[in-house]
């Protein structure tokens, strides 16, 4: 009985999705699916004003109007980290390899590792980076407000992580 029941539910869902009248079929004749080929975007080194140690940034996708969400990958050599900073609409970090550190202003340093997902709330002062003993890489997804996704503050001189 179970497979038939599941098939019935699936067909019901399929029917309702296909008949939905409010799903835009083609938003604009100018809008085209865009594919950014793997390896087509060279990495850049994080500038010293905003990072300590060696940090490599790779763009994944820019915000495409009207979307305001952009993504990238950041790799920190052992001991490398961002300066303190704030994101006007918040940020998601997905640790893809290694062991890292994240700290919110006024809170203890927290260790994070591969597979951990970090939500940085809007306006929260924080930094992120690698531990002294491990390289760390994270995916980063950030939404911009008026074209701005980060406000850089002072560097992290010392931390207890
Ligand atoms: Mn951040």
């Amino acid at each position: 009985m179970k497979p038939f029941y599941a098939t019935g539910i699936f067909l019901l869902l399929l029917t309702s999705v296909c008949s939905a009248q409010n799903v835009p079929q083609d938003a604009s004749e100018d809008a085209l699916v865009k594919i950014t080929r793997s390896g087509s975007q060279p990495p850049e080194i994080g500038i010293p004003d905003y990072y300590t140690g060696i940090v490599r940034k790779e763009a994944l996708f820019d915000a495409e109007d009207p979307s305001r969400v952009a993504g990238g990958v950041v790799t920190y050599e052992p001991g490398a980290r961002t300066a303190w900073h704030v994101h006007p609409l918040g940020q998601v970090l997905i640790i893809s390899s290694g062991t890292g550190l994240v700290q919110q202003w006024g809170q203890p340093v927290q260790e994070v590792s591969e597979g951990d997902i970090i939500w940085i709330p809007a306006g929260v002062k924080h930094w992120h980076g690698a531990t002294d003993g491990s390289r760390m890489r994270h995916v980063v997804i950030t939404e911009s407000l008026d074209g701005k996704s980060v406000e850089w503050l002072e560097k992290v001189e010392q931390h207890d992580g």
Side-chain angles (χ1 to χ4, degrees):
M1 288 299 284
K2 259 190 170 174
F4 293 109
Y5 179 72
T7 304
I9 294 290
F10 174 76
L11 288 175
L12 192 65
L13 285 171
L14 190 65
T15 305
S16 62
V17 166
C18 291
S19 63
Q21 296 301 306
N22 58 348
V23 176
Q25 300 298 310
D26 191 2
S28 159
E29 289 181 8
D30 298 329
L32 294 173
V33 169
K34 176 182 175 183
I35 298 172
T36 304
R37 295 297 176 186
S38 177
S40 66
Q41 305 184 105
E44 58 180 77
I45 301 298
I47 69 170
D49 285 354
Y50 305 148
Y51 298 92
T52 298
I54 298 173
V55 178
R56 197 168 70 251
K57 300 167 66 178
E58 299 161 75
L60 287 179
F61 59 93
D62 295 326
E64 302 271 0
D65 190 57
S67 170
R68 303 182 297 184
V69 178
V73 177
V74 186
T75 307
Y76 305 77
E77 293 301 314
R81 55 188 177 269
T82 69
W84 288 102
H85 62 284
V86 168
H87 304 289
L89 292 180
Q91 180 177 63
V92 176
L93 304 174
I94 303 167
I95 310 299
S96 52
S97 69
T99 304
L101 302 171
V102 59
Q103 184 178 22
Q104 176 175 347
W105 185 259
Q107 300 288 328
V109 175
Q110 299 190 74
E111 191 169 293
V112 290
S113 54
E114 184 176 331
D116 289 346
I117 300 166
I118 301 147
W119 166 242
I120 309 291
V124 165
K125 183 174 174 179
H126 70 288
W127 64 270
H128 29 101
T131 60
D132 286 342
S134 170
R135 176 186 287 173
M136 186 273 278
R137 173 177 291 185
H138 64 54
V139 174
V140 56
I141 300 170
T142 314
E143 186 175 3
S144 296
L145 179 63
D146 299 327
K148 195 174 174 187
S149 63
V150 61
E151 180 189 352
W152 290 105
L153 303 167
E154 73 272 24
K155 293 181 83 166
V156 180
E157 296 303 341
Q158 285 191 328
H159 63 78
D160 57 7

